[in-house]
Amino acid sequence: MDLLTTLVDKGLRRALPTRDEALAVLATSDDELLDVVAAAGRVRRHWFGRRVKLNYLVNLKSGLCPEDCSYCSQRLGSEAGILKYTWIKPEEAARAAGAGVAGGAKRVCLVASGRGPTDRDVERVAGTIAAIKEQNEGVEVCACLGLLSAGQADRLRAAGADAYNHNLNTSESTYGDICTTHDYADRVDTVQQAQAAGLSACSGLIAGMGESDGDLVDVVFGLRELDPDSVPVNFLIPFEGTPLAKEWNLTPQRCLRILAMVRFVCPDVEVRLAGGREVHLRSMQPLALHLANSIFLGDYLTSEGQAGQADLDMITDAGFEVEGAGTTTLPSHRADVAAAGCGGGGCGPCGEDAGAAEPAAACAPAAVAAAPADGAGARTDLVSVRRRGAGTDLPPNA
């Protein structure tokens, strides 16, 4: 396919595809799927070889969030039967993090529900970071605490945080459809605050919320412009008790096309296969490793993932290898910029722009391979609420 030849060439040069090219990836047929995966896999291997970085989530504070994000089991008014608890102690967080590190994780992601941290919350997280780093030399720590206020990113970096996560989630034009208590611009501002403080920026999306192909391309192009170092690709986990519980719009094939499109648009960033992979990719998860170079090990914030050992076996069986602690994840042109104290990567505001986006053209929403509206055929058995790890007396899954 001429399209794939063009996209591989652009990916190897860090040049930005056109919007039409990105849309065309999402519109490819199932007969072309393996060709799409192979092409995007060439780009992935060029920048990251066959390495897979492992990340581990620790939910510091679960549930009872005042925000109304429709996709979230911790949202205001959620009836999902998730764990609810206030801030866990630093030593408990350190034990949970240690389990992930023992399983091979290089990065520990500390997450707390809520609109954003108070200054006292930042102090709490600073103590947790110290406890984790004292017990796990060389581990990366990423904080994910919601919208940041002035100066908080600087304080987190001074406390030892290496990165900050805040996802854009969906396109600017449709953001108001999934959340009314804050907007897309608030999220962009928080990512930019993290970058300005010298934190490595982590920002991604959630697919499967009923969005069009145009929405997916818009949010990924927005991420490319924002230039985070890592881009988590989440697939909606339709929790019962949330407004999007009936949104079963994804197939394994569509998930792979989305990951391929993200890789072509963001060729040299850490693309992370994140929440919902077990639910929607299922037995095709190993193919996704040809597109993403990073995954979460074990469980997520409020849902259970597959067993940590199964993650490790999957990586080995697919012909990949777990990235070692002494290996630099990012390509040198991005890693050098990050080491210099700039939270951006090498192809955006902090580095040389390798390609300019074409003006966005109006387009009709592309068809989405959707499950029946009544949810028939939906694999609700794969949505399992987390009952172990942080906030419980049971050992974590890692």
Side-chain angles (χ1 to χ4, degrees), residues 184-270:
Y184 182 93
D186 293 324
R187 289 186 168 266
V188 169
D189 177 69
T190 284
V191 176
Q192 291 175 334
Q193 284 192 54
Q195 290 173 320
L199 292 166
S200 177
C202 173
S203 187
L205 66 143
I206 304 173
M209 298 189 289
E211 69 283 335
S212 69
D213 283 5
D215 291 323
L216 286 169
V217 170
D218 284 347
V219 68
V220 177
F221 271 56
L223 288 164
R224 167 77 184 229
E225 182 178 357
L226 196 55
D227 197 33
D229 290 322
S230 56
V231 174
V233 180
N234 297 277
F235 301 108
L236 177 72
I237 301 176
F239 276 95
E240 289 296 331
T242 65
L244 298 184
K246 304 304 180 185
E247 291 288 343
W248 288 86
N249 300 312
L250 296 172
T251 64
Q253 295 85 353
R254 180 161 176 80
C255 292
L256 290 171
R257 291 187 193 96
I258 291 168
L259 286 165
M261 185 269 287
V262 174
R263 175 56 71 193
F264 285 130
V265 176
C266 304
D268 61 335
V269 307
E270 178 187 337

Side-chain angles (χ1 to χ4, degrees), residues 166-185:
H166 200 61
N167 295 329
L168 298 187
N169 289 330
T170 193
S171 67
E172 183 173 15
S173 63
T174 60
Y175 196 86
D177 296 337
I178 64 167
C179 181
T180 67
T181 48
H182 62 267
D183 59 27
Y184 182 93

Side-chain angles (χ1 to χ4, degrees), residues 54 56 94-106 108 135-136 139 297 309 312 322 398:
L54 300 182
Y56 193 71
R95 283 196 299 271
V101 173
K106 285 182 61 176
V108 173
Q135 296 183 23
N136 303 280
V139 70
L297 175 71
Q309 187 59 52
L312 300 176
V322 173

Side-chain angles (χ1 to χ4, degrees), residues 285-305:
Q285 288 182 72
L287 274 180
L289 296 177
H290 292 270
L291 309 169
N293 63 294
S294 178
I295 68 170
F296 281 112
L297 175 71
D299 294 337
Y300 304 98
L301 296 176
T302 61
S303 65
E304 292 185 353

